[in-house]
Amino acid sequence: MKEPIRLRLVNYAALAICSMLIFLVYAALFQSNDTVFDSWGYSLPNSSCNLSSERTNVDAVDPQEFLLRRLVRGDDRVELDSNGFSCHTDVHSEVCVENKAVRIYNKGLTVYVPYDHQPQPQVKRIVKPYARQQDETAMRVVSPVQILHGNNTINPPPPCNFTHNVPAVVFSSKGFAGNVFHEFNEMIIPLFITTRHFRSRVKFVITDYQHWWVQKYNRVLSHLSESDVINPDDGSVHCFPGAVVGLKYHDHLALNVTDIPGGYSMFDFRQFLKESYSLKTNHVSEIRKPVLMLISRRNTRRFLNEDEIVEMMEGVGFQVIRVEPERMSNLDEFAEVVNSCSVMVGAHGAGLTNEIFLPNGAVMVQVVPLACDWVATYLYGAPGKPMGVRYLEYKIEPEESSLFDKYGKDHPVITDPESVTSKGYSAYRTVYVEGQDLMINVERFKNTLIEAKQILEASVPFNR
Ligand SMILES: *[C@@H]1O[C@H](CO)[C@@H](O)[C@H](O)[C@H]1NC(C)=O
Ligand SMILES: *[C@@H]1O[C@H](CO)[C@@H](O)[C@H](O)[C@H]1NC(C)=O
Ligand SMILES: *[C@@H]1O[C@H](CO)[C@@H](O)[C@H](O)[C@H]1NC(C)=O
Ligand SMILES: *[C@@H]1O[C@H](CO)[C@@H](O)[C@H](O)[C@H]1NC(C)=O
Ligand SMILES: *[C@@H]1O[C@H](CO)[C@@H](O)[C@H](O)[C@H]1NC(C)=O
């Protein structure tokens, strides 16, 4: 993981908003709708692109405009109300909301937003719709989406091939897709944060379209949106009554309940996963004999004495399921397997993200390699708590690291990891993240597993 810096999202506007006021403002907006879409002012080659008739399809009870507005606050909302368009940028993500008819074309990479009341010159805004703006490596492979706002006489948008009656949400399926931590952290959770409150009345337009990714997360996508995702690569032009470009991001594997339009929490997200994947186990107490999932790694941070570890775990009283990376790629099946376990054990690594499917009251045991303490706790330890998962750490001793044999006990790699870390992330990564395997002292490790077992025995189901 490449996350050495603790960063806080800033710029949140004040929270408390009287719902009465929202409705008053909304009512005022709705009345002025007739003029809003006249602003296209250009003859439309295809009558199915009659934007004023699109507007009349808007459901008056659960208006999309209202739902789109909830994604922005403060000045951004004022701007959205006056321009029909506003963007919010923070450290991790950039999100633009268009609260009026848009046309999406050029493989999803151009979004045309008409101007409002007053004719304006065209303004171009470039957004990379992936929630890791601070990370150059991730962003390099994310295609920029240009949003054209205003005068379209220079580059008039092509006519619509398809006209939709719900808003579009545009995001990239590249970035760090391929690593399950990043898939949940920057894609799936942000997608939930951004779109859950639409109650499926949205369509996803996926740029940098990767079919395997769409297939892998098919259940999540189909539970967040009423229809199939749109792959705009065929050159088709899609018209929508509004759009969101980019996804909102909060924190590592986290949702901030006070900053989500529907007020959803990690509890709600897990409930959503439970429905999407038909997960049956709600609480560990429903599992009769405790089942332990041991995540087996292939390349780095391997357990060198895995058989011995499994034997010890069985001795403690667990039924052990060993899983290898390939097994995790079929998420539809794997989520159910995780959900049937009481304990998950693994060395620090992306596979631990699957803790998100564990039942309430389950225990996650992270084996922390040398010099990985902080990043381990930060990435997988802290996020477990809101998931209702108990977290235990087993920090290895230097003798349990393959680096001990490789460098010798007096080498700075062992005695002074800071001297390596201070040379930068790449040096750190080569030595500790990619260059380290683990020879676990099973006698010592046994204590952690006994503790896990005791936690399970003491855990009482709670109902929410
Ligand atoms: C959650 O969001 C609120 C309001 O936007 C903010 O004040 C608060 O600090 C955030 N909490 C965390 C844990 O980031
Ligand atoms: C567009 O729709 C409006 C309202 O339904 C209708 O009055 C108008 O004639 C339509 N325009 C075209 C060009 O179809
Ligand atoms: C739109 O752009 C064209 C070409 O630059 C210009 O002639 C026209 O005046 C502009 N219209 C508005 C309303 O800004
Ligand atoms: C307009 O677009 C619709 C939907 O793509 C298509 O079915 C229709 O034939 C088009 N009409 C014309 C006049 O091009
Ligand atoms: C979209 O419509 C245009 C004409 O308006 C047509 O030339 C093009 O083939 C259509 N593309 C798709 C993918 O349907």
Side-chain angles (χ1 to χ4, degrees):
M1 292 318 86
K2 33 181 59 83
E3 200 51 58
I5 313 163
R6 235 180 261 247
L7 291 165
R8 290 225 142 241
L9 301 184
V10 287
N11 293 337
Y12 288 114
L15 242 193
I17 294 165
C18 169
S19 56
M20 190 72 148
L21 189 63
I22 296 176
F23 276 104
L24 286 175
V25 173
Y26 170 70
L29 260 174
F30 210 57
Q31 280 186 343
S32 64
N33 268 345
D34 289 347
T35 54
V36 171
F37 294 95
D38 292 343
S39 62
W40 282 76
Y42 302 95
S43 63
L44 298 167
N46 186 327
S47 63
S48 75
C49 275
N50 186 336
L51 293 159
S52 48
S53 70
E54 266 170 43
R55 287 304 307 174
T56 60
N57 291 340
V58 172
D59 182 353
V61 180
D62 196 13
Q64 291 157 6
E65 208 167 282
F66 177 67
L67 296 176
L68 286 163
R69 280 183 91 242
R70 291 183 74 183
L71 288 166
V72 289
R73 288 183 172 164
D75 290 348
D76 296 328
R77 189 175 280 183
V78 172
E79 195 183 339
L80 182 67
D81 288 346
S82 68
N83 284 344
F85 173 63
S86 101
C87 297
H88 183 82
T89 304
D90 61 41
V91 182
H92 304 279
S93 72
E94 181 163 31
V95 180
C96 291
V97 179
E98 292 93 43
N99 206 347
K100 56 161 82 173
V102 301
R103 264 180 214 199
I104 301 182
Y105 52 104
N106 182 28
K107 302 189 173 190
L109 300 180
T110 304
V111 177
Y112 180 76
V113 190
Y115 57 77
D116 262 342
H117 317 285
Q118 294 304 315
Q120 306 152 352
Q122 193 167 80
V123 178
K124 189 198 294 188
R125 172 103 191 199
I126 307 277
V127 177
K128 283 190 167 188
Y130 187 79
R132 205 173 176 88
Q133 302 285 317
Q134 79 280 20
D135 192 322
E136 269 178 44
T137 314
M139 299 315 285
R140 208 174 295 141
V141 296
V142 176
S143 303
V145 173
Q146 58 170 347
I147 301 171
L148 304 176
H149 184 213
N151 190 347
N152 71 6
T153 42
I154 312 162
N155 296 307
C160 312
N161 294 102
F162 303 96
T163 301
H164 307 275
N165 60 5
V166 296
V169 174
V170 182
F171 65 95
S172 170
S173 64
K174 277 246 176 82
F176 282 142
N179 172 309
V180 63
F181 167 78
H182 292 287
E183 286 165 8
F184 270 93
N185 188 56
E186 288 121 60
M187 306 167 89
I188 301 300
I189 293 176
L191 199 56
F192 181 86
I193 292 174
T194 311
T195 67
R196 181 56 166 169
H197 69 292
F198 286 96
R199 297 177 180 277
S200 298
R201 305 263 308 141
V202 282
K203 289 193 184 181
F204 299 141
V205 176
I206 303 189
T207 61
D208 305 318
Y209 190 88
Q210 303 206 83
H211 188 62
W212 70 263
W213 187 86
V214 171
Q215 261 185 329
K216 179 174 179 185
Y217 289 102
N218 173 48
R219 299 232 193 147
V220 167
L221 298 170
S222 64
H223 279 76
L224 283 176
S225 163
E226 63 186 5
S227 50
D228 289 346
V229 304
I230 294 170
N231 170 6
D233 276 357
D234 65 358
S236 50
V237 181
H238 294 262
C239 295
F240 298 90
V244 181
V245 181
L247 302 176
K248 284 165 76 85
Y249 179 93
H250 289 163
D251 206 344
H252 280 98
L253 301 180
L255 301 85
N256 180 344
V257 60
T258 58
D259 196 28
I260 296 184
Y264 301 112
S265 63
M266 178 53 84
F267 177 85
D268 299 301
F269 179 63
R270 277 168 47 92
Q271 197 61 29
F272 164 80
L273 291 179
K274 219 175 147 229
E275 286 160 22
S276 306
Y277 288 91
S278 310
L279 305 178
K280 293 185 188 67
T281 318
N282 192 45
H283 191 271
V284 274
S285 57
E286 295 158 33
I287 303 168
R288 234 180 288 143
K289 180 173 160 126
V291 182
L292 182 154
M293 172 178 284
L294 178 65
I295 296 182
S296 190
R297 294 179 59 93
R298 277 282 168 69
N299 299 317
T300 61
R301 287 161 276 148
R302 288 173 302 173
F303 292 124
L304 297 173
N305 54 339
E306 205 169 272
D307 292 343
E308 202 188 341
I309 295 172
V310 170
E311 208 173 292
M312 175 273 285
M313 289 166 162
E314 287 171 347
V316 172
F318 290 107
Q319 180 193 326
V320 180
I321 304 178
R322 246 195 263 204
V323 298
E324 308 197 319
E326 304 80 77
R327 183 123 177 236
M328 299 179 191
S329 58
N330 183 341
L331 201 57
D332 295 0
E333 279 172 29
F334 189 62
E336 275 187 60
V337 179
V338 176
N339 183 249
S340 69
C341 294
S342 341
V343 179
M344 174 182 275
V345 177
H348 171 65
L352 298 180
T353 309
N354 292 296
E355 67 178 314
I356 204 143
F357 297 112
L358 284 171
N360 288 318
V363 181
M364 210 267 269
V365 179
Q366 178 164 215
V367 176
V368 183
L370 272 198
C372 295
D373 301 27
W374 183 78
V375 77
T377 314
Y378 181 54
L379 291 183
Y380 305 108
K385 200 168 184 185
M387 298 179 197
V389 171
R390 287 290 303 270
Y391 176 65
L392 296 179
E393 251 174 28
Y394 177 79
K395 285 188 187 152
I396 68 160
E397 296 287 345
E399 300 78 41
E400 297 173 87
S401 170
S402 60
L403 299 174
F404 189 82
D405 290 338
K406 185 171 175 190
Y407 290 93
K409 68 178 169 49
D410 299 322
H411 194 279
V413 162
I414 305 295
T415 58
D416 183 19
E418 184 57 36
S419 67
V420 179
T421 309
S422 62
K423 288 182 197 148
Y425 181 73
S426 150
Y428 166 76
R429 187 181 174 93
T430 308
V431 175
Y432 298 107
V433 179
E434 285 172 353
Q436 183 169 203
D437 290 322
L438 313 164
M439 176 63 100
I440 299 299
N441 174 344
V442 290
E443 273 314 304
R444 197 167 80 92
F445 191 27
K446 191 174 174 181
N447 296 326
T448 308
L449 290 150
I450 292 173
E451 191 183 345
K453 187 124 182 296
Q454 285 165 347
I455 290 173
L456 293 176
E457 283 159 3
S459 82
V460 183
F462 72 99
N463 296 307
R464 267 190 67 178

PDB file of all heavy atoms in Angstrom, residues 159 161-162 234-236, ligand 5:
ATOM      1  N   PRO A 159     -25.685  14.445 -32.046  1.00  0.00           N
ATOM      2  CA  PRO A 159     -27.031  14.080 -31.573  1.00  0.00           C
ATOM      3  C   PRO A 159     -27.010  12.807 -30.725  1.00  0.00           C
ATOM      4  O   PRO A 159     -26.104  11.992 -30.833  1.00  0.00           O
ATOM      5  CB  PRO A 159     -27.803  13.836 -32.871  1.00  0.00           C
ATOM      6  CG  PRO A 159     -26.769  13.543 -33.890  1.00  0.00           C
ATOM      7  CD  PRO A 159     -25.549  14.316 -33.497  1.00  0.00           C
ATOM      8  N   ASN A 161     -27.754   9.175 -29.438  1.00  0.00           N
ATOM      9  CA  ASN A 161     -28.189   7.861 -29.893  1.00  0.00           C
ATOM     10  C   ASN A 161     -29.158   7.268 -28.861  1.00  0.00           C
ATOM     11  O   ASN A 161     -30.057   6.532 -29.208  1.00  0.00           O
ATOM     12  CB  ASN A 161     -27.011   6.906 -30.068  1.00  0.00           C
ATOM     13  CG  ASN A 161     -26.079   7.337 -31.187  1.00  0.00           C
ATOM     14  OD1 ASN A 161     -25.016   7.908 -30.932  1.00  0.00           O
ATOM     15  ND2 ASN A 161     -26.478   7.089 -32.417  1.00  0.00           N
ATOM     16  N   PHE A 162     -28.912   7.611 -27.604  1.00  0.00           N
ATOM     17  CA  PHE A 162     -29.754   7.068 -26.540  1.00  0.00           C
ATOM     18  C   PHE A 162     -30.116   8.175 -25.564  1.00  0.00           C
ATOM     19  O   PHE A 162     -29.264   8.969 -25.176  1.00  0.00           O
ATOM     20  CB  PHE A 162     -29.028   5.956 -25.778  1.00  0.00           C
ATOM     21  CG  PHE A 162     -28.576   4.838 -26.666  1.00  0.00           C
ATOM     22  CD1 PHE A 162     -27.271   4.808 -27.154  1.00  0.00           C
ATOM     23  CD2 PHE A 162     -29.462   3.838 -27.046  1.00  0.00           C
ATOM     24  CE1 PHE A 162     -26.850   3.788 -27.994  1.00  0.00           C
ATOM     25  CE2 PHE A 162     -29.050   2.818 -27.884  1.00  0.00           C
ATOM     26  CZ  PHE A 162     -27.749   2.787 -28.369  1.00  0.00           C
ATOM     27  N   ASP A 234     -18.185   2.288 -27.774  1.00  0.00           N
ATOM     28  CA  ASP A 234     -18.647   2.094 -29.154  1.00  0.00           C
ATOM     29  C   ASP A 234     -18.917   3.411 -29.869  1.00  0.00           C
ATOM     30  O   ASP A 234     -19.386   3.425 -31.001  1.00  0.00           O
ATOM     31  CB  ASP A 234     -19.889   1.204 -29.174  1.00  0.00           C
ATOM     32  CG  ASP A 234     -21.073   1.866 -28.481  1.00  0.00           C
ATOM     33  OD1 ASP A 234     -20.914   2.993 -27.953  1.00  0.00           O
ATOM     34  OD2 ASP A 234     -22.157   1.259 -28.450  1.00  0.00           O
ATOM     35  N   GLY A 235     -18.658   4.515 -29.210  1.00  0.00           N
ATOM     36  CA  GLY A 235     -18.824   5.807 -29.873  1.00  0.00           C
ATOM     37  C   GLY A 235     -20.243   6.345 -29.790  1.00  0.00           C
ATOM     38  O   GLY A 235     -20.559   7.375 -30.378  1.00  0.00           O
ATOM     39  N   SER A 236     -21.108   5.687 -29.037  1.00  0.00           N
ATOM     40  CA  SER A 236     -22.487   6.163 -28.964  1.00  0.00           C
ATOM     41  C   SER A 236     -22.590   7.424 -28.106  1.00  0.00           C
ATOM     42  O   SER A 236     -21.738   7.693 -27.258  1.00  0.00           O
ATOM     43  CB  SER A 236     -23.392   5.060 -28.424  1.00  0.00           C
ATOM     44  OG  SER A 236     -22.835   4.514 -27.250  1.00  0.00           O
TER      45      SER A 236
HETATM   46  C1  LIG B   5     -25.361   7.397 -33.345  1.00  0.00           C
HETATM   47  O1  LIG B   5     -26.115   8.221 -34.207  1.00  0.00           O
HETATM   48  C2  LIG B   5     -25.436   8.670 -35.344  1.00  0.00           C
HETATM   49  C3  LIG B   5     -26.344   9.590 -36.146  1.00  0.00           C
HETATM   50  O2  LIG B   5     -26.996  10.476 -35.344  1.00  0.00           O
HETATM   51  C4  LIG B   5     -25.022   7.474 -36.199  1.00  0.00           C
HETATM   52  O3  LIG B   5     -24.257   7.923 -37.301  1.00  0.00           O
HETATM   53  C5  LIG B   5     -24.172   6.530 -35.338  1.00  0.00           C
HETATM   54  O4  LIG B   5     -23.900   5.370 -36.093  1.00  0.00           O
HETATM   55  C6  LIG B   5     -24.919   6.153 -34.081  1.00  0.00           C
HETATM   56  N1  LIG B   5     -24.001   5.379 -33.293  1.00  0.00           N
HETATM   57  C7  LIG B   5     -24.387   4.342 -32.553  1.00  0.00           C
HETATM   58  C8  LIG B   5     -23.317   3.617 -31.810  1.00  0.00           C
HETATM   59  O5  LIG B   5     -25.547   3.978 -32.473  1.00  0.00           O
END
